[in-house]
Amino acid sequence: MPKRLITGLNSWFQRDKIVANLEVFQDFIVISLCLGLFCVMLIRLGDMFFSLLHPLDLRQVTSDILFILILVELFRLLIDYLQQQRISVVAAVEITIVSALREVILRGVLEIPREQIIGISVFLVVLGVILIAMPWMSHFFEYIKINQPKTTELTTQLLTENSLSSD
């Protein structure tokens, strides 16, 4: 009786189809974000070129260029997500570093209070440590995966037989 009930519930829920449909919906959301981000990049690029017709404000042009570069990196991050179905931590850290530096450049180092400069510096050091530690951490986790005992087909068969005999 329980075995038929479990089989009936599995066929009724069809987890594989539900997960596949949710992944398709998630991909649709990411594609929509990519299209929106691309449109924002084009708009900002056009605004930047039109601002060059007026007297040159170096701080504003630098801010626009850095903002467009941040948008390009976010776009690349989303494309990588669509291809690999995972987020690249290194790319996200690089984007965060450029965003923090953009804010410092935009406001000017002399105009920012000392406490904020110290906070931004600590934040950038932590991001730098993460950026440096990521390759080492990935090798460490690969080493753990390699050295973990894997379940063999015989172990799986024994576990299945034990669960069936207990029903």
Side-chain angles (χ1 to χ4, degrees), residues 21-121:
N21 288 333
L22 288 175
E23 285 178 352
V24 167
F25 186 68
Q26 185 177 358
D27 287 345
F28 174 74
I29 291 171
V30 173
I31 290 170
S32 300
L33 285 172
C34 284
L35 292 174
L37 202 56
F38 190 74
C39 290
V40 169
M41 281 189 289
L42 290 177
I43 290 170
R44 292 298 294 214
L45 193 63
D47 288 344
M48 186 182 74
F49 283 124
F50 283 128
S51 71
L52 293 176
L53 298 175
H54 305 294
L56 189 63
D57 182 13
L58 187 61
R59 189 178 282 183
Q60 184 62 35
V61 172
T62 305
S63 172
D64 287 343
I65 290 171
L66 287 174
F67 184 68
I68 290 171
L69 288 175
I70 291 169
L71 293 179
V72 167
E73 288 298 315
L74 283 173
F75 187 77
R76 183 178 65 93
L77 185 68
L78 290 174
I79 295 298
D80 287 345
Y81 176 77
L82 281 174
Q83 290 173 344
Q84 301 173 1
Q85 296 296 315
R86 59 187 173 148
I87 295 289
S88 169
V89 176
V90 173
V93 169
E94 289 172 353
I95 293 168
T96 308
I97 289 171
V98 172
S99 298
L101 292 175
R102 176 189 175 265
E103 291 303 315
V104 170
I105 291 171
L106 183 63
R107 291 178 54 192
V109 176
L110 298 176
E111 297 174 9
I112 299 175
R114 180 175 36 152
E115 294 82 17
Q116 284 184 349
I117 291 289
I118 293 170
I120 291 170
S121 299

Side-chain angles (χ1 to χ4, degrees), residues 14 19 46 60 81 99 106 113 132 146 157:
Q14 297 176 355
V19 169
Q60 184 62 35
Y81 176 77
S99 298
L106 183 63
I132 292 169
I146 291 170
Q157 184 180 10

